[in-house]
Amino acid sequence: MCVKAVYPGSFDPITFGHIDIIERGLKLFDKIVVAILINPAKTPLFTVQERIEMIRESIKHLPEEKIEVSSFTGLLVDYVKTIKAKAILRGIRAISDFEYEFQMALTNRKLLKDVDTVFMMPDERFSYLSANLVREVATFGGDISHFVPSHVEKKLKEKFLKGD
Ligand code: PNS
């Protein structure tokens, strides 16, 4: 049996923390679908296509057949049903993440009783890392090389030079 998990998020942009969770998740699951939420209520820095490309580039060192990169709209549980995933994979960095993650996990389980959320902790080197902070540091020209792969760093620099 192929046990599939969905790893949902904004990934705006993907960071070393996300990559660490994908690598850890691959030890538990046969397949991981990295799924970007298309959220009309938010204005992301990167388009969905740009985010998909950055994720694909970031996971090139991992077994291709075990990871899929995709996007979804609407409820996560509907997407979980559509792709027949068994679990939702989420990274949890610190106690501050707990309340939000706890609420989401229990709401999702209420909406779809057979789905559980599996939390994994990233390496402690990445426990403070967030895409929001990476974007902020990049906005002001700070060094983000410790937070994101070099191809993502390049994309962020291009974004802020272009000013879009
Ligand atoms: O990377 P993020 O922004 O923390 O990811 C949040 C995400 C995409 C996992 C969450 O917002 C989500 O699943 N949204 C889809 C809409 C939904 O199902 N909402 C109810 C979840 S409790």
Side-chain angles (χ1 to χ4, degrees):
M1 193 175 75
C2 170
V3 183
K4 191 193 273 184
V6 59
Y7 180 32
S10 304
F11 304 102
D12 190 31
I14 187 164
T15 68
F16 284 137
H18 296 126
I19 299 166
D20 185 89
I21 295 295
I22 296 169
E23 288 170 351
R24 281 169 206 282
L26 284 177
K27 293 181 194 155
L28 288 186
F29 299 104
D30 300 308
K31 184 149 195 168
I32 293 184
V33 179
V34 183
I36 301 171
L37 170 69
I38 303 171
N39 185 352
K42 273 194 183 175
T43 315
L45 179 62
F46 291 102
T47 64
V48 172
Q49 199 47 43
E50 286 173 320
R51 283 180 276 165
I52 289 178
E53 280 161 21
M54 283 187 283
I55 296 171
R56 289 216 173 107
E57 184 67 28
S58 305
I59 56 169
K60 264 175 34 188
H61 61 294
L62 298 169
E64 202 184 330
E65 69 286 359
K66 294 189 79 179
I67 315 175
E68 205 180 298
V69 186
S70 188
S71 61
F72 72 103
T73 49
L75 283 179
L76 175 59
V77 288
D78 290 337
Y79 185 65
V80 167
K81 265 191 277 186
T82 308
I83 65 165
K84 296 186 172 61
K86 272 268 166 259
I88 297 167
L89 174 65
R90 289 285 287 173
I92 199 154
R93 293 161 299 189
I95 284 289
S96 50
D97 281 340
F98 181 76
E99 198 166 339
Y100 171 58
E101 294 297 336
F102 174 82
Q103 277 184 327
M104 276 208 301
L106 292 190
T107 307
N108 284 329
R109 200 165 64 190
K110 198 75 188 169
L111 294 172
L112 184 63
K113 76 173 171 43
D114 286 336
V115 76
D116 269 293
T117 303
V118 173
F119 293 107
M120 299 192 88
M121 269 173 267
D123 189 284
E124 60 270 22
R125 282 176 299 151
F126 310 127
S127 60
Y128 61 91
L129 199 52
S130 81
N132 286 350
L133 284 183
V134 169
R135 286 199 306 272
E136 192 170 313
V137 174
T139 314
F140 298 108
D143 178 9
I144 48 166
S145 59
H146 297 290
F147 310 143
V148 293
S150 55
H151 64 94
V152 175
E153 186 183 356
K154 191 164 161 265
K155 282 284 215 175
L156 276 159
K157 282 187 179 154
E158 283 169 10
K159 257 299 160 201
F160 290 115
L161 276 179
K162 272 200 282 171
D164 48 49

